[in-house]
């Protein structure tokens, strides 16, 4: 099952996010996920595991497990490389051992002090606050992203963590419209206005935290997961599915791409088994009433500044 992007390319509606995965674990995970049926992998320079992902992909190609053209690979430009877009993209391609990317995203709508291509540091100033570079506009960054398409390095370009205002601006100054806006959205943080705005203007929404962050964001940010909510656990019992499967199915029925993260083989299989049932309108409405406008991913903890304020 796939969504057709505004440039005609197809993006599988479910993928695997590889944040916080390292070493042999990620190699086994990617190989196993391909065997299960995953064809979409969401990476980022900042995850610091592109080299390991690249090794796993090379093994998958070399052994005939899958062909390059059958996979959809996304990675992202880090904040410190906004002034070095081409170099950063080529660095990611080299690490991933790929000739092209299916999708390249601006990871966050902020440029920060450059620390060397691919180093992806979040440099802080003497005041302990993220050292934001005020000399590079998002428009400048976007036009450099457009150049990657002309160079044949990427097929699609997009944005990530952009609100309605920044997305509108990008639409206004772009020659190549963003194909995707990857944002946090889940039953506790539905962002219906942003989702509908993007979809109205031909931008596919990808949910980078479709399960509300679960254990990962609880550990890092002290947030709670929607998966323990009685509404989801009740629906899970009704449909004989897990709460995670209910949340993912809800995301799919919103026409958003979902990229759950897991390092467990059992969960990997479970998250992919969401195409054999459909939530009723009443149950979709029930989940819609769960919205708490509750963001679980909180980088301000590390940056000393709340960019969402």
């Amino acid at each position: 099952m796939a969504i057709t992007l505004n440039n005609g390319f197809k993006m599988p509606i479910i993928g695997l996010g590889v944040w916080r995965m390292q070493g042999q674990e990620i190699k086994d995970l990617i190989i196993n996920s391909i065997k299960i049926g995953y064809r979409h992998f969401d990476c980022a320079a900042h995850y610091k595991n592109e080299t390991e992902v690249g090794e796993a992909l090379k093994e998958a190609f070399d052994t005939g497990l899958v062909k390059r053209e059958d996979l959809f690979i996304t990675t992202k430009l880090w904040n410190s490389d906004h002034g070095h877009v081409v170099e950063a993209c080529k660095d990611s391609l080299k690490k991933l051992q790929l000739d092209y990317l299916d999708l390249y995203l601006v990871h966050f709508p902020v440029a920060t002090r450059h620390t060397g291509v691919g180093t992806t540091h979040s440099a802080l100033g003497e005041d302990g606050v993220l050292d934001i570079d005020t000399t590079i506009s998002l428009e400048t960054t976007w036009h450099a992203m457009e150049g990657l398409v002309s160079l044949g390095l990427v097929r699609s370009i997009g944005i990530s963590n952009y609100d309605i205002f920044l997305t509108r601006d990008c639409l206004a100054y772009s020659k190549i419209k963003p194909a995707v806006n990857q944002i946090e959205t889940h039953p506790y943080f539905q962002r219906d206005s942003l989702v509908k705005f993007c979809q109205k203007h031909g931008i596919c929404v990808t949910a980078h935290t479709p399960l509300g962050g679960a254990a990962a964001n609880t550990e890092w940010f002290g947030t709670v997961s929607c998966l323990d909510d009685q509404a989801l656990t009740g629906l899970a019992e009704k449909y004989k599915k897990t709460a995670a499967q209910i949340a993912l199915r809800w995301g799919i029925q919103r026409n958003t791409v979902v990229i759950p993260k897991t390092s467990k083989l059992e969960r990997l299989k479970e998250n992919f088994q969401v195409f054999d049932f459909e939530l009723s309108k009443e149950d979709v409405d029930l989940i819609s009433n769960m919205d708490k406008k509750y963001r679980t991913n909180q980088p301000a903890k590390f940056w000393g500044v709340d960019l969402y304020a």
Side-chain angles (χ1 to χ4, degrees):
M1 189 172 177
I3 285 182
T4 301
L5 302 178
N6 57 22
N7 55 10
F9 288 108
K10 293 186 183 298
M11 184 179 190
I13 203 163
I14 189 166
L16 176 66
V18 299
W19 181 47
R20 298 188 70 191
M21 298 177 192
Q22 303 295 334
Q24 185 63 38
E25 174 191 50
I26 196 167
K27 186 175 180 181
D28 293 342
L29 194 73
I30 288 176
I31 295 299
N32 284 326
S33 64
I34 291 173
K35 290 178 179 177
I36 290 168
Y38 286 84
R39 294 294 181 267
H40 172 189
F41 296 95
D42 184 81
C43 314
H46 187 58
Y47 300 164
K48 301 184 186 300
N49 56 16
E50 287 178 316
T51 298
E52 290 84 355
V53 172
E55 290 170 355
L57 293 175
K58 184 177 187 301
E59 179 178 315
F61 300 148
D62 289 349
T63 59
L65 181 60
V66 71
K67 295 178 181 177
R68 169 64 185 99
E69 57 266 30
D70 295 330
L71 295 185
F72 191 101
I73 309 296
T74 300
T75 197
K76 308 179 191 77
L77 174 78
W78 186 241
N79 308 334
S80 55
D81 282 334
H82 276 223
H84 302 79
V85 172
V86 174
E87 300 97 315
C89 181
K90 287 182 175 179
D91 184 67
S92 286
L93 283 168
K94 182 179 179 181
K95 289 173 180 173
L96 291 166
Q97 301 187 50
L98 299 174
D99 296 324
Y100 69 91
L101 295 168
D102 294 280
L103 178 63
Y104 196 46
L105 302 176
V106 179
H107 203 148
F108 280 94
V110 62
T112 60
R113 190 206 319 159
H114 183 59
T115 54
V117 171
T119 58
T120 69
H121 290 159
S122 295
L124 305 181
E126 292 181 0
D127 57 358
V129 174
L130 188 68
D131 197 353
I132 294 173
D133 187 338
T134 59
T135 68
I136 304 172
S137 70
L138 292 177
E139 180 175 354
T140 298
T141 300
W142 186 254
H143 290 320
M145 294 283 286
E146 292 173 327
L148 299 176
V149 179
S150 302
L151 291 170
L153 299 177
V154 306
R155 289 184 167 179
S156 303
I157 51 177
I159 53 184
S160 183
N161 300 301
Y162 276 48
D163 63 15
I164 286 180
F165 300 114
L166 293 174
T167 303
R168 190 219 72 89
D169 279 0
C170 190
L171 286 167
Y173 57 63
S174 61
K175 296 174 183 174
I176 300 175
K177 304 300 181 188
V180 169
N181 186 8
Q182 185 177 128
I183 60 172
E184 176 179 348
T185 179
H186 46 79
Y188 273 1
F189 194 41
Q190 298 187 18
R191 311 179 81 180
D192 207 43
S193 294
L194 176 56
V195 171
K196 287 180 177 176
F197 177 84
C198 288
Q199 292 174 339
K200 178 180 180 179
H201 293 280
I203 301 172
C204 171
V205 172
T206 296
H208 69 56
T209 316
L211 304 178
N217 284 357
T218 298
E219 179 185 336
W220 275 39
F221 307 116
T223 51
V224 299
S225 170
C226 61
L227 298 185
D228 297 322
D229 192 285
Q230 288 185 348
L232 284 187
T233 57
L235 289 175
E237 188 175 334
K238 174 181 176 180
Y239 286 91
K240 294 182 171 53
K241 292 287 183 177
T242 65
Q245 288 172 321
I246 298 295
L248 292 173
R249 183 67 209 183
W250 172 79
I252 288 170
Q253 288 184 215
R254 293 177 92 197
N255 288 318
T256 61
V257 172
V258 292
I259 47 171
K261 302 166 182 64
T262 184
S263 58
K264 297 179 175 63
L265 181 59
E266 183 181 334
R267 294 271 174 81
L268 199 63
K269 294 176 181 176
E270 175 188 300
N271 289 344
F272 201 72
Q273 294 169 347
V274 290
F275 301 108
D276 58 350
F277 75 106
E278 187 170 333
L279 298 171
S280 69
K281 182 183 183 305
E282 292 75 20
D283 291 335
V284 168
D285 291 344
L286 179 66
I287 296 174
S288 297
N289 290 328
M290 288 175 58
D291 194 12
K292 298 180 183 294
K293 295 179 170 52
Y294 182 72
R295 186 188 300 275
T296 67
N297 189 289
Q298 301 282 0
K301 177 179 178 181
F302 308 107
W303 293 348
V305 58
D306 184 1
L307 297 180
Y308 300 122

